[in-house]
Amino acid sequence: MRRTRDWYQALGYDNPYRWAHFIETPFQALGKPLSQSTVALITTAAPYQPGKGNQGPGAPYNASAKFYEVYTGDTARDHDVRISHVAIDRRHTSMEDSGTWFPLPALRACVQSARIGRLAARFYGAPTNRSQRHTLEVDCPQIFNDCQQDKVDAAILVPNCPVCHQTLGLVARYLEARGISTVIMACAKDIIEHCGVPRMLFSDFPLGNAAGKPHNPESQAATLELALQLLESAPGARTTMQSPLRWSDSHAWKLDYCNVDHVSPDELARLRTESDKAKEIAKALRKQL
């Protein structure tokens, strides 16, 4: 949280962002075994939009590719959802394997093995609005209504960027207060715990890899299994489980993300110019809604 605050101030955002924070946290125990439950997937990844610029592996931040309204997709088929619009760790991950941020195929495998009863008919895309009020008053009710229509018992939420983590923290709280059990697969531990959520599986990986290591099906399957175990076993609200998996033998990668001290003045000036352009693009997109 401190690193992100300092970074955005360096890019010209006038006021330090105030992260969502709650003392009381709702908690809904699973009402039935997972093998009999309907499980939903909630993501902050964006559908690929041809004509909206580079959204492929290694793409820089792309404000044009953002989405601002809840969307849904059929869980029975594959989807091209990408994370080029978010502040993930682009230095240490290449955005090549969607299994690291969108575990829909892995969830289908869990249905085949009878680990979970069924998938919800749809997955839900939550927009990463910086406005906490909009998330709580507009996006959360829509996602909850969709979950009700699909008869969801439990939800797995997978955020990517820092604000994504806050957004899905708010969604998890909203769903739990209304009877749906949740677990967040996260890489930004402090943001989630500051918000106050029922269950979090923390993977100490670069942002954008909350569902496991890229091109590593074993890591992705193990990460999902830990999340399912947490859904079943958490004794109460604010339960955090840390994955035993390590990103690499060295922890040096942690020093790079959004670290003003590791960027030259010239590079910071360039990034600030890019940020100003992105803000104008985002402003124009919001006006179209």
Side-chain angles (χ1 to χ4, degrees):
M1 290 168 61
R2 179 187 58 78
R3 188 87 65 83
T4 303
R5 180 181 63 245
D6 293 346
W7 181 259
Y8 280 103
Q9 281 191 283
L11 292 184
Y13 288 81
D14 296 332
N15 298 313
Y17 188 67
R18 296 183 63 182
W19 296 95
H21 179 57
F22 300 91
I23 301 300
E24 299 297 326
T25 301
F27 182 81
Q28 174 64 51
L30 275 175
K32 61 181 74 170
L34 270 178
S35 60
Q36 301 172 22
S37 298
T38 297
V39 178
L41 172 62
I42 304 177
T43 180
T44 56
Y48 173 61
Q49 303 176 66
K52 289 294 185 70
N54 188 2
Q55 300 156 64
Y61 176 83
N62 185 345
S64 298
K66 286 178 68 69
F67 65 99
Y68 294 94
E69 296 178 304
V70 173
Y71 75 91
T72 63
D74 181 358
T75 56
R77 64 181 185 86
D78 294 330
H79 296 267
D80 188 357
V81 295
R82 307 191 184 190
I83 53 176
S84 59
H85 69 295
V86 295
I88 62 166
D89 188 336
R90 285 173 165 79
R91 179 171 296 186
H92 296 284
T93 192
S94 62
M95 310 183 306
E96 294 177 325
D97 179 8
S98 64
T100 68
W101 65 80
F102 188 65
L104 181 57
L107 282 166
R108 287 202 205 104
C110 288
V111 174
Q112 291 296 317
S113 66
R115 181 67 175 92
I116 61 177
R118 64 197 63 84
L119 276 178
R122 299 172 292 174
F123 71 89
Y124 318 115
T128 55
N129 287 300
R130 290 172 62 87
S131 168
Q132 298 166 27
R133 174 177 293 181
H134 191 279
T135 297
L136 288 169
E137 295 181 356
V138 178
D139 300 332
C140 286
Q142 182 170 342
I143 292 172
F144 174 64
N145 289 339
D146 289 340
C147 286
Q148 281 192 308
Q149 292 175 18
D150 293 341
K151 302 185 185 310
V152 169
D153 299 304
I156 294 174
L157 302 89
V158 189
N160 295 293
C161 76
V163 178
C164 288
H165 279 73
Q166 174 178 266
T167 294
L168 292 193
L170 295 174
V171 172
R173 293 176 54 85
Y174 193 94
L175 296 180
E176 292 268 348
R178 288 155 182 81
I180 297 176
S181 305
T182 66
V183 60
I184 297 181
M185 300 168 72
C187 291
K189 183 173 182 282
D190 59 343
I191 294 173
I192 294 294
E193 291 188 335
H194 188 74
C195 183
V197 304
R199 305 167 191 80
M200 171 180 59
L201 172 66
F202 170 59
S203 293
D204 196 10
F205 292 169
L207 292 181
N209 298 276
K213 293 183 178 181
H215 307 299
N216 191 325
E218 293 80 11
S219 168
Q220 294 168 20
T223 302
L224 179 56
E225 175 57 27
L226 288 173
L228 296 177
Q229 290 177 16
L230 185 56
L231 259 177
E232 296 172 312
S233 65
R238 292 183 176 270
T239 298
T240 295
M241 175 190 291
Q242 178 158 343
S243 169
L245 302 179
R246 298 181 62 179
W247 182 253
S248 66
D249 292 336
S250 170
H251 292 300
W253 59 269
K254 298 183 184 183
L255 298 176
D256 294 326
Y257 180 76
C258 288
N259 193 336
V260 175
D261 296 334
H262 283 212
V263 181
S264 69
D266 288 345
E267 176 67 3
L268 194 58
R270 183 187 69 79
L271 292 170
R272 183 165 182 168
T273 298
E274 289 184 356
S275 176
D276 290 341
K277 292 179 181 177
K279 284 187 281 188
E280 290 303 315
I281 292 172
K283 183 178 180 180
L285 289 173
R286 288 192 184 96
K287 287 183 178 179
Q288 297 174 12
L289 299 177

